[in-house]
Amino acid sequence: MINEGDGGALVEEWVELANGCICCTVKHSLVQALEQLVQRKERLDHILLETTGLANPAPLASVLWLDEQLESEVKLDSIITVVDAKNLRFQLDEHRGSSSFPEAYFQIAFADIIILNKVDLVSAEGSGALEELEEEIHNINSLAEIIHSVRCQVDLSKILNRQAYDTARATHLETLLEESRSLSTKKLHDSGVRTICICETQVVDLDKTRIWLEEILWEKKYDMDVYRCKGVLSVQNSDQLHTLQAVRELYEIVPARKWEKEEKRINKIVFIGHNLKEDILMDSFRDRATC
C-alpha cells in the first residue's frame, strides 16, 4: 500500500500474504489482510486489487461481495478489465468454437467496466475496426461499460465508486437491462460465451425463483455455465421491485424500491455465460418461477 506521507513523500507499507494466488489458495489470508487495512486509523477511500493477466476474477469477487466479516466495512464496487484492443481478436478467434476458453473470455464476462486500451493502434487500421471490436465485446458481455484509452490513461472518476453491486442503484441496473433487452441468441450459432436477456410479464414466486436459479447456478441442470447474472423481478404480493445479482454460484435477491403506479411491472434477467440456451431459460422460468 502506498500512502502520501508528510510533505508529500510517498510511504510504502506492506501487508504480507501467504504464498499462492489470491484468487484460489490464499483467499482467507486476503480477507485477514483487508481486515487489517480497514482497522487502521487512517480512512481508506478505495482498495484496488490487481490480479495477474491470467486470473479468473470470479473467486475473488465472490469473497469480496458477500463475505460476512467484511461486508460492513468493505464492499465490492466493480470489476474492471483492461482489454488489449490490438490483440484481443486474435485471442478470441484462437479459441472460438472450442470447449475451453482463454481467461480473456472470463475477464470480459465478469467485468462491469472494460478499459479498451491501445485504441489508437486499432483506429489506424481503418474506419469501423474499433466498432467491430466493441460489438465483439458486447456479444460476450452487453452489460459492461467500455472506456477507450491510450497507454491506459483513464479518468479515475470513471472507474472508482461505480457501485455496480449496490442494490440502491436499481435505476442504473434497469437502464442496463433495457439496453440488453433486444439481445437474442438466434443471431449467434455457436455455443460460446455470450449475453442473453429474457423478459416475462407474469409475477414470480420468490421461493420458486430461488429454486429455479439454484438449479441453473448450482446444479447446472440445463448444462449451462452462468458466469454473471443481473435482473429485476416483479414479485407476487409485493410492491417492491427486487434486484437480482449473481456471480457464479453466489446470488442475491433483494428489494430495491417501490414500483411506480404507472410503471409496467416486468421481469428482466440478463445471463452472461457459456452454452446458454435462450429458449430453455425462457421456458423454464415461466414454468418454474412464475405464478
Side-chain angles (χ1 to χ4, degrees):
M1 182 175 65
I2 301 177
N3 288 328
E4 187 173 328
D6 294 335
L10 293 181
V11 180
E12 291 189 8
E13 301 178 52
W14 296 89
V15 178
E16 185 177 0
L17 298 179
N19 188 36
C21 173
I22 61 173
C23 298
C24 308
T25 59
V26 293
K27 290 188 287 186
H28 181 65
S29 297
L30 174 64
V31 171
Q32 289 181 324
L34 292 175
E35 288 174 345
Q36 293 177 37
L37 288 177
V38 299
Q39 288 169 3
R40 292 164 50 89
K41 292 181 180 180
E42 297 87 351
R43 179 181 177 273
L44 297 177
D45 296 315
H46 307 283
I47 299 174
L48 181 63
L49 295 176
E50 181 181 4
T51 63
T52 71
L54 298 176
N56 181 339
L60 189 56
S62 300
V63 169
L64 298 174
W65 179 28
L66 295 178
D67 185 88
E68 294 181 355
Q69 294 174 288
L70 287 172
E71 190 169 9
S72 60
E73 298 290 345
V74 178
K75 295 184 182 297
L76 179 60
D77 180 65
S78 61
I79 298 173
I80 303 168
T81 295
V82 179
V83 168
D84 184 335
K86 182 65 175 177
N87 296 300
L88 176 66
R89 183 169 285 110
F90 169 76
Q91 290 179 299
L92 299 182
D93 288 345
E94 189 177 20
H95 292 263
R96 198 179 304 278
S98 171
S99 58
S100 62
F101 297 94
E103 296 305 324
Y105 276 98
F106 298 122
Q107 292 174 357
I108 291 173
F110 284 107
D112 300 293
I113 301 165
I114 292 175
I115 299 175
L116 190 58
N117 194 38
K118 302 181 183 177
V119 294
D120 53 325
L121 301 182
V122 176
S123 299
E125 296 176 1
S127 61
L130 199 56
E131 289 75 9
E132 290 176 5
L133 194 59
E134 289 186 352
E135 183 178 2
E136 186 92 19
I137 292 171
H138 275 147
N139 282 340
I140 298 172
N141 180 352
S142 71
L143 296 179
E145 177 184 347
I146 299 177
I147 299 173
H148 293 180
S149 74
V150 176
R151 299 182 185 274
C152 270
Q153 296 298 306
V154 177
D155 183 348
L156 290 181
S157 66
K158 294 183 177 181
I159 62 174
L160 297 178
N161 198 30
R162 298 305 304 267
Q163 304 174 348
Y165 291 82
D166 190 344
T167 56
R169 299 191 73 224
T171 303
H172 175 67
L173 177 56
E174 292 171 69
T175 301
L176 290 177
L177 294 173
E178 187 62 34
E179 293 172 354
S180 299
R181 188 174 177 180
S182 61
L183 286 173
S184 171
T185 59
K186 291 178 172 57
K187 294 182 180 179
L188 302 168
H189 301 293
D190 62 81
S191 58
V193 180
R194 65 163 66 101
T195 304
I196 66 171
C197 180
I198 63 173
C199 301
E200 174 56 49
T201 56
Q202 295 186 61
V203 295
V204 300
D205 180 290
L206 199 51
D207 291 333
K208 290 166 64 176
T209 301
R210 292 182 188 277
I211 293 172
W212 169 76
L213 196 59
E214 288 164 10
E215 288 177 342
I216 294 172
L217 299 180
W218 298 357
E219 302 173 17
K220 315 295 183 189
K221 181 175 180 180
Y222 304 105
D223 195 30
M224 291 180 283
D225 197 4
V226 176
Y227 305 151
R228 291 286 300 271
C229 178
K230 292 189 178 188
V232 295
L233 301 174
S234 174
V235 177
Q236 183 185 34
N237 300 324
S238 174
D239 63 352
Q240 295 283 317
L241 177 149
H242 286 60
T243 59
L244 160 66
Q245 293 241 36
V247 176
R248 282 294 194 181
E249 291 82 8
L250 288 179
Y251 75 91
E252 182 181 54
I253 301 176
V254 294
R257 65 167 179 83
K258 282 191 175 184
W259 288 96
E260 302 292 340
K261 288 184 179 180
E262 304 300 323
E263 189 175 7
K264 182 180 180 181
R265 295 180 55 151
I266 191 171
N267 303 286
K268 304 175 191 172
I269 307 176
V270 168
F271 292 90
I272 302 171
H274 171 232
N275 201 31
L276 300 181
K277 305 176 181 71
E278 184 176 4
D279 293 340
I280 290 179
L281 284 171
M282 190 68 257
D283 293 342
S284 64
F285 181 70
R286 286 175 178 155
D287 294 341
R288 306 277 292 167
T290 59
C291 300

